[in-house]
Amino acid sequence: MLESLLAVSGLVLLRDSVQWEGRSLLKALIKKSVLCGEQVHILGCEVSEEEFREGFDASINSQLVYLDLYRDPLNWSKTGEAFPGGLLGVLRAMRGKTDPRPVTIALDSLSWLLLHLPCTTLCQTLYALNYQDSSLGDSSPVQQVRVLGLLHEELHGPGPVGALSSLAQSETQWFSIRPDFSLDLQGGPPLASQPHPDPHIFQVDPTTHLTFNLHLSKKEKEAKDNLTLPFQFSSEKQQALLCPSLGQATSYIFYEPDVYDDLDQEDPDDDLDI
């Protein structure tokens, strides 16, 4: 499965979270690319070069071309190589033209780049990395370029995450990594292995042995529909209350106020001594 993941060109999006860090997966894919004989360029932005190289043996580290933007991302100290195009120039320069081998570019991370570049500009640059520069005017074969982009998904809204996800040729979310950075990708079972119900197997009704009924018979439904509940205000009851028949007893209420009753409409609360 790992070989099929690395067989695709374009953007391979590695989305991680607080619970599941993705840098170990990025390093595992880098190691596999080196063992496949590819050129590997790394743009390090979030951790130091020493920390990133930790865990690789000498044979792997010697094959990595590392560009460190962690110590001095804007080249204020003037000690590093200055790219006239800024961060975009850095990304474009990472794709070599002289070596015909496939190129793997690892970005650690896309989240850091999104803090310094507009999302549309970054997406356009990542898309352009997969095509041969037409300004060279030569007939050299198109280089296979793969970009491994680490994205801290929880730091961004649905817009940037959706744009990068639609640009990605492959998207990895479930994996396990061994201590030597060998990778074990875990995916769901293929569709062919999903169980299908056998039409010849009799399906048992789980409601057949219940001590109560879940359904009503036709006679029971008719009795339910004809039943008048005590709280229902039917038309017959309404007519009986509004239009009493002749000879029906009529009741009256007589009230005689006492000395403590408050009948003053101007101040009905004067008896409260407020």
Side-chain angles (χ1 to χ4, degrees):
M1 186 178 295
L2 180 58
E3 287 75 8
S4 62
L5 175 62
L6 292 178
V8 298
S9 59
L11 175 62
V12 179
L13 188 61
L14 311 176
R15 297 162 52 177
D16 69 356
S17 62
V18 175
Q19 291 81 12
W20 305 93
E21 64 89 17
R23 186 164 290 114
S24 297
L25 173 61
L26 178 65
K27 295 173 71 172
L29 295 176
I30 289 173
K31 177 180 178 180
K32 187 64 177 180
S33 298
V34 172
L35 295 178
C36 292
E38 300 179 4
Q39 306 175 68
V40 178
H41 299 259
I42 302 172
L43 181 63
C45 308
E46 293 188 346
V47 297
S48 65
E49 180 177 359
E50 292 78 10
E51 181 179 349
F52 190 90
R53 289 180 178 271
E54 185 178 355
F56 292 131
D57 54 34
S59 61
I60 299 296
N61 276 322
S62 62
Q63 301 295 320
L64 302 180
V65 180
Y66 196 94
L67 181 59
D68 189 2
L69 291 185
Y70 173 76
R71 300 183 186 278
D72 188 11
L74 301 179
N75 197 28
W76 286 350
S77 62
K78 304 299 181 182
T79 57
E81 181 181 0
F83 292 92
L87 290 176
L88 295 180
V90 171
L91 292 174
R92 296 188 182 103
M94 294 184 71
R95 176 180 174 175
K97 301 295 184 181
T98 58
D99 198 328
R101 293 181 300 164
V103 180
T104 294
I105 299 175
L107 304 178
D108 184 16
S109 67
L110 289 172
S111 295
W112 189 93
L113 293 174
L114 283 173
L115 295 177
H116 297 80
L117 294 173
C119 180
T120 54
T121 304
L122 178 60
C123 290
Q124 291 171 358
T125 304
L126 293 175
Y127 181 80
L129 287 176
N130 298 321
Y131 294 90
Q132 186 78 12
D133 190 357
S134 59
S135 62
L136 295 177
D138 57 14
S139 58
S140 58
V142 177
Q143 235 178 357
Q144 179 183 358
V145 178
R146 181 185 307 107
V147 179
L148 306 176
L150 178 60
L151 180 69
H152 308 313
E153 183 177 7
E154 296 173 337
L155 300 182
H156 310 284
V161 174
L164 291 171
S165 298
S166 62
L167 184 65
Q169 299 294 329
S170 182
E171 187 172 336
T172 301
Q173 293 178 299
W174 296 99
F175 58 89
S176 61
I177 300 175
R178 301 183 180 92
D180 61 346
F181 288 126
S182 58
L183 185 64
D184 180 19
L185 293 179
Q186 300 174 356
L191 295 179
S193 63
Q194 298 291 343
H196 297 281
D198 190 346
H200 301 288
I201 298 179
F202 178 73
Q203 300 295 329
V204 178
D205 187 2
T207 65
T208 53
H209 301 291
L210 295 178
T211 57
F212 55 90
N213 293 330
L214 295 178
H215 308 285
L216 297 178
S217 63
K218 183 178 179 180
K219 185 176 180 180
E220 290 172 338
K221 290 181 180 180
E222 293 177 353
K224 177 184 176 183
D225 296 337
N226 296 328
L227 178 64
T228 302
L229 299 178
F231 54 82
Q232 287 182 333
F233 199 70
S234 63
S235 58
E236 294 80 3
K237 185 183 295 185
Q238 182 179 6
Q239 292 295 328
L241 293 176
L242 297 179
C243 303
S245 60
L246 296 177
Q248 184 177 0
T250 304
S251 300
Y252 299 93
I253 298 177
F254 297 93
Y255 170 70
E256 182 177 355
D258 55 24
V259 294
Y260 296 103
D261 289 339
D262 185 8
L263 301 178
D264 187 2
Q265 300 299 327
E266 296 291 335
D267 186 10
D269 297 328
D270 60 348
D271 61 330
L272 299 180
D273 295 332
I274 298 177

